[in-house]
Amino acid sequence: MIFTRLRRPEIGSIALSALVSAYLLVVTNNSFWTHTVAYFNDSVVALVSFSAALCLLTLAGLTIASVRYVMKPVLIFLIMVSASASYFIDTFGVIIDKDMIGNAAVTTQAEAGHLLTGSLAMHLLLYGLLPSFLVMWVKVRRRAFLANAAVNLVVIIPCLFVSSGLVYANFANVAYVIREHKDLMKRFNPTGPVSAAVRYAASTFKERNIVVQPLGTDARQGPRIAAAGKPVVVVVVAGETARAMNFSLNGYARETNPELKALGVVNYTDTTSCGTATAISLPCMFSVYPRNEYSDWKARSTENLMNVLTRAGVSATWWDNNTGSKGIADLISFASMTNQKNSPLCKNGECLDEIFLGELDKKLQATTSNSVIVLHQLGSHGPSYYLRYPEKFRRFTPDCRTPELMKCSVAEITNAYDNSILYTDYVLASVARLLEKHQDRVAGAMIYMSDHGESLGEDGIYLHGAPYAIAPREQTQVPFVAWFSKPYQAAMGVDTACLAKDTAQPKSHDNLFHTVLGMMNVETKVYKRDLDAFANCTRKPAGGPAFQSADTTNDLPSNVTRPVALPGEL
């Protein structure tokens, strides 16, 4: 081969560190520099000082690694990390933080496959593999260990002193930008994704021996559900990637919810998610903790809604057409819909959400006890929106027919996304119709809430997963819809006319836990009536209130603290 015949060029370790530093700074940090210029727009001096300091610190960091047997593996690793991260950051406008690393860690092969495109392969070839090969190919001139250390220090120490001086001289401006724009350094390659991975690994290691604390040990079914006369069934549909602004129920110009509109559902127009990615939002939705108190550690160390329902004697079931329950259904009946190999609704490890309907029909026919059934949708998960709906729901065209969104116009992407919302409308309406079909046997209700929204190219941002503090409303405003059968309304005292008057009031994922407990008339100290979205429109039964409002400050597991008071035992 030609490269075997060519003489390998020689280069000093400091020079190689400088070249790789320049490559990483210039080639793989387009998004970082764009935001840096925007954030420092009021101070050119601070911008130049910050940029110079960062360049010097990068050189110092790589020089530290310029040791025999260490240098090339480290440089190649950093090049590949930066090349990979820069593709997703520059293409989709995402930020690779700890939560994004967590999302990647729990993704499925089918889900990841939509992101493994030809564009990604070409990007990694040109910006990752090619420069890595050059680093591997060149011959580095070596010195004795002590001599090499001395030369390295001659570079490292001045870099550290000068960078410190530059930052100190403009500390007020630099500190302000870093404090106010916490996303900036998360965009910097390679330290942003590397530090995120380290923090994720550290938190995972910390959580390896978590002991889950019980919740709602006093839970029991109340008198109203006991007198219902037939099994009460609530279907909770956990949506995926549906954003509120594309629901015609919320005023969107396109008719994306014709079937729900015809059913006369209760639709809440101002609902906020707990997070911007499934790995955060889904556990948070089913957690007792509100968003401002929620953490992954708390969710993993405390039982959730499904466990409280089970403890109260309610049959709890989770059907999943997504990437799993994120630990929520570990202790209840769980079934993955994607395991159905021969269904015409499934392909390449993914199924259309209609896969739920046949099974739900059969389950309702056989139901003999009060039940909560969770349907975890695939919904509108991107970037392959066109795979989320069958051909007959391809109403808005031309629709983007590729996961490589940069090859489509925003209009085409929106068309595909709106088709997926139209299909979700059909699936939700079908769930309601099945509950209505079996209303002679069960008193049924449906509640739907999406886990997070989606960016479709607004301000150059795509998909989801943005840090919550800077996330656009496209990713945090989600649909919240409820439907109640006549038998359910009669048995549980729900006044839908009253609910319709309250739909403009702000709601959030904080409401789901308490609302579902209320829907099933579960009495427990961890229930908060003020967070039950339907409580004010639920008639009290004769003989006293159906539910007791309680402050849960003293009813959470002892291993968890609130910002104000220390909790006691359950």
Side-chain angles (χ1 to χ4, degrees):
M1 293 180 63
I2 186 170
F3 284 109
T4 61
R5 294 195 300 268
L6 289 175
R7 182 179 178 183
R8 293 172 63 193
E10 289 191 11
I11 190 171
S13 61
I14 302 300
L16 181 58
S17 296
L19 286 173
V20 173
S21 296
Y23 176 79
L24 296 176
L25 289 163
V26 174
V27 177
T28 68
N29 277 289
N30 178 61
S31 177
F32 171 79
W33 292 119
T34 300
H35 283 80
T36 299
V37 171
Y39 294 160
F40 281 96
N41 65 339
D42 293 330
S43 177
V44 175
V45 174
L47 169 63
V48 173
S49 298
F50 173 77
S51 301
L54 197 59
C55 293
L56 291 171
L57 288 174
T58 302
L59 175 59
L62 296 193
T63 302
I64 290 173
S66 61
V67 180
R68 185 188 295 268
Y69 307 124
V70 174
M71 183 178 190
K72 285 190 175 183
V74 168
L75 295 183
I76 291 171
F77 170 75
L78 295 179
I79 289 171
M80 292 304 300
V81 167
S82 298
S84 302
S86 67
Y87 174 80
F88 292 103
I89 294 171
D90 294 343
T91 301
F92 299 113
V94 301
I95 294 175
I96 301 179
D97 57 4
K98 173 177 170 282
D99 294 331
M100 189 66 75
I101 297 293
N103 295 336
V106 299
T107 193
T108 63
Q109 182 178 350
E111 186 178 30
H114 298 296
L115 296 172
L116 303 179
T117 64
S119 296
L120 172 60
M122 184 58 68
H123 183 92
L124 291 179
L125 175 64
L126 294 178
Y127 298 104
L129 293 176
L130 181 58
S132 294
F133 174 78
L134 293 175
V135 168
M136 185 169 58
W137 184 46
V138 298
K139 186 176 181 179
V140 179
R141 288 190 293 271
R142 297 296 181 185
R143 303 179 183 87
F145 178 80
L146 292 179
N148 186 67
V151 172
N152 288 353
L153 287 174
V154 169
V155 174
I156 294 168
I157 292 175
C159 284
L160 294 178
F161 271 106
V162 174
S163 60
S164 298
L166 290 170
V167 172
Y168 180 78
N170 298 273
F171 183 78
N173 285 326
V174 172
Y176 174 80
V177 169
I178 297 298
R179 183 178 64 250
E180 294 299 315
H181 302 283
K182 293 182 173 61
D183 63 298
L184 182 59
M185 295 312 299
K186 293 178 181 179
R187 298 177 187 274
F188 182 64
N189 287 319
T191 58
V194 169
S195 63
V198 170
R199 284 185 286 115
Y200 174 76
S203 66
T204 301
F205 180 79
K206 177 183 176 183
E207 295 169 4
R208 72 194 187 284
N209 293 321
I210 282 180
V211 177
V212 179
Q213 299 297 309
L215 181 70
T217 54
D218 61 335
R220 62 187 179 89
Q221 297 177 50
R224 186 185 288 279
I225 198 169
K230 60 180 67 176
V232 172
V233 177
V234 171
V235 178
V236 179
V237 184
E240 171 65 52
T241 319
R243 66 186 202 179
M245 63 180 59
N246 287 59
F247 266 50
S248 56
L249 289 174
N250 294 323
Y252 189 51
R254 282 178 168 171
E255 185 57 85
T256 53
N257 305 125
E259 298 197 45
L260 289 176
K261 179 181 178 182
L263 285 174
V265 297
V266 177
N267 175 64
Y268 293 91
T269 59
D270 184 9
T271 304
T272 308
S273 69
C274 182
T276 62
T278 303
I280 297 173
S281 280
L282 195 67
C284 186
M285 289 168 67
F286 288 83
S287 166
V288 69
Y289 301 105
R291 192 187 75 81
N292 62 352
E293 298 178 21
Y294 176 83
S295 70
D296 183 65
W297 172 268
K298 289 181 178 180
R300 291 177 181 273
S301 61
T302 310
E303 288 186 336
N304 58 66
L305 171 63
M306 308 309 287
N307 307 127
V308 177
L309 291 168
T310 301
R311 186 165 283 118
V314 175
S315 173
T317 303
W318 186 289
W319 290 349
D320 204 276
N321 192 36
N322 204 301
T323 58
S325 73
K326 313 307 178 191
I328 302 166
D330 285 354
L331 301 178
I332 66 169
S333 174
F334 175 90
S336 174
M337 299 292 106
T338 59
N339 291 331
Q340 301 188 30
K341 305 294 185 183
N342 300 320
S343 173
L345 296 171
C346 301
K347 184 178 180 181
N348 298 328
E350 294 181 329
C351 302
L352 294 171
D353 285 328
E354 278 179 85
I355 197 74
F356 290 124
L357 302 181
E359 297 299 322
L360 181 60
D361 191 16
K362 290 186 286 187
K363 186 169 182 64
L364 293 175
Q365 180 65 37
T367 295
T368 58
S369 61
N370 299 325
S371 306
V372 170
I373 305 167
V374 177
L375 310 180
H376 185 201
Q377 287 185 296
L378 188 56
S380 301
H381 198 282
S384 299
Y385 306 118
Y386 69 101
L387 295 179
R388 306 298 169 239
Y389 50 90
E391 183 67 25
K392 64 181 179 180
F393 285 88
R394 193 181 176 188
R395 183 172 304 175
F396 306 111
T397 55
D399 51 343
C400 184
R401 309 292 294 179
T402 173
E404 298 183 70
L405 299 182
M406 68 292 301
K407 294 183 178 180
C408 299
S409 67
V410 171
E412 291 169 333
I413 295 169
T414 303
N415 285 342
Y417 183 82
D418 285 348
N419 287 334
S420 72
I421 297 297
L422 184 69
Y423 182 59
T424 289
D425 172 75
Y426 162 74
V427 172
L428 294 177
S430 297
V431 170
R433 285 192 290 265
L434 285 173
L435 290 168
E436 193 170 45
K437 172 185 174 182
H438 294 280
Q439 64 182 3
D440 60 324
R441 303 189 67 262
V442 301
M446 176 190 73
I447 181 171
Y448 165 77
M449 194 180 279
S450 182
D451 58 353
H452 54 77
E454 186 86 331
S455 291
L456 301 178
E458 298 87 0
D459 300 317
I461 301 174
Y462 295 86
L463 305 180
H464 53 267
Y468 203 90
I470 63 168
R473 63 187 300 269
E474 289 85 0
Q475 296 188 31
T476 60
Q477 294 295 115
V478 295
F480 174 15
V481 175
W483 176 88
F484 309 90
S485 68
K486 296 297 183 184
Y488 181 91
Q489 293 178 49
M492 305 305 290
V494 174
D495 184 344
T496 55
C498 171
L499 289 175
K501 299 175 183 178
D502 184 54
T503 55
Q505 294 300 311
K507 297 292 187 291
S508 72
H509 281 170
D510 295 354
N511 296 110
L512 185 69
F513 181 95
H514 306 279
T515 300
V516 174
L517 288 181
M519 293 177 77
M520 295 305 295
N521 190 206
V522 172
E523 295 180 341
T524 170
K525 290 180 180 179
V526 297
Y527 167 77
K528 277 192 170 184
R529 189 176 189 278
D530 59 336
L531 287 176
D532 181 346
F534 308 147
N536 291 333
C537 295
T538 301
R539 294 185 299 275
K540 296 178 181 179
F547 313 112
Q548 294 297 322
S549 178
D551 182 350
T552 64
T553 300
N554 296 316
D555 299 302
L556 296 176
S558 58
N559 67 324
V560 179
T561 60
R562 286 185 183 269
V564 178
L566 291 174
E569 298 292 338
L570 277 172

